[in-house]
Amino acid sequence: MIIKDAKFVISNTDYRKCPQDGKPEYAFIGRSNVGKSSLINMLTNRKGLAMTSSKPGKTQLINHFIINDEWYLVDLPGYGYAQRGKEGREQIRKIIDSYILNRIEMTNLFLLLDCRHEPQKIDLEFLDWLGEKEVPFAIVFTKIDKMSKARLKENLQSYTDKLKETWEELPPVFYTSSEHKIGREEILDYIDQINKDLK
């Protein structure tokens, strides 16, 4: 898929105020500082489309970007940012949950995981929750350029082993580096294929 056009449309905290034109939506979510904004900018080939920040917990809204006038890329708030305090985290959780569970236009959720870390409890719980709620999703490992091939292989294997403890079948998995544009074509082709199937 070639992205000819990518534009910011609207920010919300309420899924009911999101665009009402019925176009498919592909949402991106992950823990704070997982590299979500960088990935979105890399996928769309627009440097400042999603605001990147060295300070985690920056995205606190549901952000819609229209791609090629055909589908929406949705940037969801990062979850589990400790410094937000309990109340703030709860508020963000409500925004995320209500969008994921109630937004019928959401066609697929891309869950971003930083490949440099061991499987984190918060991510595994979120994965299980998605499974229980039967949410269609794919896993995206980010920052694969930040470690040696051997270490990367080790980390990914430990993730796979951990997931296989509770999952019979794993969702689609993508490996990405925003800096080196690794995984860009694979993710866009995957979205393209779903869009074609929807038609």
Side-chain angles (χ1 to χ4, degrees):
M1 179 201 296
I2 295 165
I3 292 191
K4 301 183 191 101
D5 194 36
K7 290 192 290 273
F8 169 75
V9 179
I10 195 168
S11 287
N12 275 302
T13 53
D14 184 348
Y15 75 94
R16 287 167 295 210
K17 292 179 184 161
C18 293
Q20 298 296 324
D21 54 14
K23 288 183 169 76
E25 296 180 1
Y26 296 87
F28 289 74
I29 194 167
R31 261 179 328 127
S32 298
N33 235 6
V34 75
K36 185 162 51 75
S37 300
S38 300
L39 183 82
I40 289 170
N41 292 338
M42 181 267 275
L43 288 174
T44 56
N45 238 340
R46 304 288 188 282
K47 220 172 180 170
L49 193 71
M51 293 306 285
T52 56
S53 167
S54 54
K55 214 171 144 198
K58 208 64 181 142
T59 312
Q60 301 191 20
L61 299 162
I62 304 165
N63 295 307
H64 274 70
F65 302 92
I66 182 89
I67 311 295
N68 292 348
D69 273 331
E70 287 171 2
W71 55 278
Y72 289 102
L73 188 157
V74 182
D75 182 7
L76 290 173
Y79 57 83
Y81 180 44
Q83 276 170 291
R84 220 178 241 139
K86 199 172 177 199
E87 209 173 291
R89 283 202 304 273
E90 190 53 33
Q91 201 182 338
I92 292 288
R93 195 185 63 78
K94 279 183 183 153
I95 294 170
I96 293 168
D97 290 6
S98 65
Y99 172 86
I100 291 173
L101 298 178
N102 301 312
R103 186 75 179 151
I104 50 173
E105 290 82 356
M106 194 197 76
T107 308
N108 194 73
L109 181 74
F110 289 95
L111 172 61
L112 277 57
L113 301 170
D114 187 333
C115 72
R116 297 172 302 175
H117 305 303
E118 296 291 302
Q120 306 279 315
K121 184 171 178 270
I122 189 168
D123 290 327
L124 296 168
E125 283 171 357
F126 190 66
L127 276 158
D128 288 342
W129 180 78
L130 291 175
E132 279 161 27
K133 302 292 182 190
E134 298 183 354
V135 175
F137 76 99
I139 292 173
V140 178
F141 284 105
T142 61
K143 308 185 185 188
I144 65 163
D145 57 314
K146 304 287 185 213
M147 57 202 308
S148 71
K149 283 205 167 104
R151 185 71 210 282
L152 177 66
K153 201 175 165 190
E154 222 171 88
N155 270 21
L156 296 177
Q157 192 54 55
S158 86
Y159 243 110
T160 308
D161 294 345
K162 191 80 192 147
L163 291 175
K164 282 185 174 161
E165 287 172 21
T166 46
W167 290 76
E168 273 173 46
E169 199 183 323
L170 293 184
V173 177
F174 298 95
Y175 307 100
T176 67
S177 154
S178 298
E179 225 167 290
H180 300 287
K181 298 205 167 179
I182 298 167
R184 182 175 188 267
E185 273 181 45
E186 289 79 356
I187 291 176
L188 291 178
D189 286 349
Y190 182 68
I191 291 172
D192 198 32
Q193 193 49 59
I194 297 175
N195 283 340
K196 282 176 179 157
D197 293 346
L198 289 174
K199 284 175 187 167

